[in-house]
Amino acid sequence: AQSVTQLGSHVSVSEGALVLLRCNYSSSVPPYLFWYVQYPNQGLQLLLKYTTGATLVKGINGFEAEFKKSETSFHLTKPSAHMSDAAEYFCAVRTPISSGSARQLTFGSGTQLTVLP
Amino acid sequence: DTEVTQTPKHLVMGMTNKKSLKCEQHMGHRAMYWYKQKAKKPPELMFVYSYEKLSINESVPSRFSPECPNSSLLNLHLHALQPEDSALYLCASSQDGTGDYGDTQYFGPGTRLTVL
C-alpha cells in the first residue's frame, strides 16, 4: 500500500524567506510523486512531478522538489516566498503496480502556507 | 492547453432535487475522474472512467450517478442528497487512467455544492 505524510498542517514564512514543505511517502516500489497547489475556492494545479530520471525537479512559480529515495522524501522548496504563494499544498503519490484503486493518486493531508509581509 | 472546465461553479439544492454537474476537457485525454473535497481535507476519489467505461467506483452511494457520454464529457447526476454531501466536487482528466508515468491528472476548478 502507498501512503503520504505531510509534516506540518500549517507553515508560516516571511515574504522573501525560504519555503520548505515536507512530504514523506511509503511505497513498496519507486513511486511517482506530485505536488499540487490549491488556491482558495479553486481546483488543484499541478506544480511539479517526479516520474523517472533526474531527481531534482523544477516546477512552475519557482518551486522545485528533490526525490530522495534513501529518505523516502519529496520536499518542496522555493528560495524566496511571495505573498501570492499563500495556498494549500498537497503532496501525492502513485505506485505503478497493482490495479484499480491501488494505481490511483494518494494525497497527503495538505499543508496550508501563510506568507507574512 | 491543460484546461478542464466545470459547470456550474456553485450549486445550491434541496434534498429532494435532481441536479447535474458537468465537466469537459479537450486535451484528448481518455480518462476522467470525479473527486469530493471537504473543507481543509484532501480530495477523495469517487469515480474513474477510462475510455468511456466506468473503471473505478469507490463505494459511492447511489444518490451519485456518473455518466460519460463521450471522451470529452463527464457528468455527475445528483438525486436525494444529504446535507453532509455538501462539498467541492472536482473533476480531473488524464491521458488514459493506467497510472503509468505519463498519466498525470489535471484538475478543473470545481463545483461548490451546498445541500440544504
Side-chain angles (χ1 to χ4, degrees), chain B residues 92-110:
Chain B
S93 71
S94 71
Q95 186 172 320
D96 53 20
T98 60
D100 290 334
Y101 71 91
D103 197 33
T104 300
Q105 291 185 31
Y106 296 93
F107 286 79

Side-chain angles (χ1 to χ4, degrees), chain A:
Chain A
Q2 61 195 24
S3 66
V4 178
T5 301
Q6 290 184 240
L7 293 176
S9 58
H10 291 83
V11 170
S12 293
V13 300
S14 298
E15 191 173 19
L18 172 71
V19 176
L20 171 61
L21 304 183
R22 299 178 185 275
C23 173
N24 288 88
Y25 68 89
S26 173
S27 175
S28 57
V29 298
Y32 304 142
L33 296 158
F34 307 81
W35 275 100
Y36 286 89
V37 62
Q38 185 174 32
Y39 298 101
N41 299 312
Q42 294 188 27
L44 275 67
Q45 181 181 9
L46 180 67
L47 273 178
L48 49 80
K49 63 180 180 181
Y50 169 78
T51 53
T52 59
T55 56
L56 181 62
V57 181
K58 295 186 184 300
I60 62 172
N61 302 338
F63 284 94
E64 63 182 37
E66 186 171 12
F67 170 59
K68 292 187 176 181
K69 183 179 178 181
S70 61
E71 298 177 8
T72 62
S73 68
F74 191 57
H75 302 329
L76 182 70
T77 61
K78 182 174 180 178
S80 177
H82 295 163
M83 298 295 289
S84 60
D85 294 327
E88 185 85 21
Y89 291 79
F90 291 100
C91 182
V93 62
R94 188 172 69 227
T95 304
I97 58 170
S98 304
S99 61
S101 299
R103 289 177 66 89
Q104 299 303 319
L105 283 177
T106 297
F107 286 93
S109 55
T111 297
Q112 178 68 47
L113 175 66
T114 300
V115 181
L116 304 171

Side-chain angles (χ1 to χ4, degrees), chain B residues 11-91:
Chain B
L11 179 63
V12 179
M13 59 186 292
M15 290 189 286
T16 59
N17 292 158
K18 287 184 179 181
K19 297 287 185 182
S20 297
L21 310 184
K22 180 181 175 181
C23 174
E24 193 166 4
Q25 57 87 15
H26 294 288
M27 294 178 278
H29 288 171
R30 302 309 300 272
M32 297 186 78
Y33 308 74
W34 280 116
Y35 286 85
K36 174 182 177 180
Q37 186 181 27
K38 302 286 274 186
K40 304 300 182 184
K41 297 291 186 182
E44 299 172 19
L45 183 65
M46 299 174 72
F47 303 103
V48 181
Y49 273 83
S50 181
Y51 292 88
E52 294 104 72
K53 294 189 186 303
L54 183 64
S55 60
I56 293 176
N57 177 341
E58 292 285 54
S59 303
V60 179
S62 60
R63 57 186 184 269
F64 295 91
S65 176
E67 177 195 20
C68 189
N70 59 56
S71 61
S72 300
L73 282 174
L74 184 66
N75 298 320
L76 186 63
H77 303 297
L78 314 172
H79 174 55
L81 295 192
Q82 304 297 310
E84 59 265 29
D85 297 321
S86 297
L88 182 67
Y89 287 83
L90 295 165
C91 174

